């Protein structure tokens, strides 16, 4: 696992990773955005991953992750 980018804001940590491990499913992209955010007394992890045939664009993936984070935060005021 290699960290390609790391962003932090408002208690949320976003990490872009590259996974070159042998046990990664062949159908999944090797690039993933993950967000770690506090929700109440829990730590929630959200992920956005593309597929091998449709790789994840870094900016689009981050935009999708931001929408996911916003939806989680809205559902858990």
């Amino acid at each position: 696992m290699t960290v390609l980018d790391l962003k932090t804001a408002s208690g949320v940590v976003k990490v872009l990773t590259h996974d070159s491990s042998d046990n990664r499913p062949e159908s999944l992209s090797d690039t993933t955005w993950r967000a770690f955010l506090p929700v109440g007394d829990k730590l929630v992890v959200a992920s956005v991953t593309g597929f091998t045939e449709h790789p994840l664009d870094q900016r689009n993936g981050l935009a999708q992750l931001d929408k996911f984070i916003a939806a989680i935060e809205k559902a858990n005021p």
Side-chain angles (χ1 to χ4, degrees), residues 57-75:
D57 174 77
Q58 288 185 7
R59 284 188 301 194
N60 184 357
L62 181 57
Q64 292 298 318
L65 186 64
D66 287 337
K67 290 177 186 177
F68 198 9
I69 293 166
I72 292 168
E73 291 177 335
K74 183 177 180 181

Side-chain angles (χ1 to χ4, degrees), residues 5-9 12-16 33-34 36 62 66:
D5 197 358
L6 177 70
K7 300 179 182 308
T8 60
V12 178
V13 177
K14 301 174 210 172
V15 184
L16 178 63
W33 273 108
R34 285 191 178 87
F36 300 84
L62 181 57
D66 287 337

Side-chain angles (χ1 to χ4, degrees), residues 6-76:
L6 177 70
K7 300 179 182 308
T8 60
S10 303
V12 178
V13 177
K14 301 174 210 172
V15 184
L16 178 63
T17 60
H18 177 263
D19 182 356
S20 58
S21 65
D22 292 334
N23 61 351
R24 179 179 49 82
E26 290 182 23
S27 62
L28 293 181
S29 171
D30 59 4
T31 306
T32 302
W33 273 108
R34 285 191 178 87
F36 300 84
L37 60 150
V39 176
D41 62 349
K42 308 282 189 284
L43 175 64
V44 173
V45 180
S47 299
V48 176
T49 304
F51 293 97
T52 303
E53 293 183 14
H54 304 283
L56 182 67
D57 174 77
Q58 288 185 7
R59 284 188 301 194
N60 184 357
L62 181 57
Q64 292 298 318
L65 186 64
D66 287 337
K67 290 177 186 177
F68 198 9
I69 293 166
I72 292 168
E73 291 177 335
K74 183 177 180 181
N76 296 279

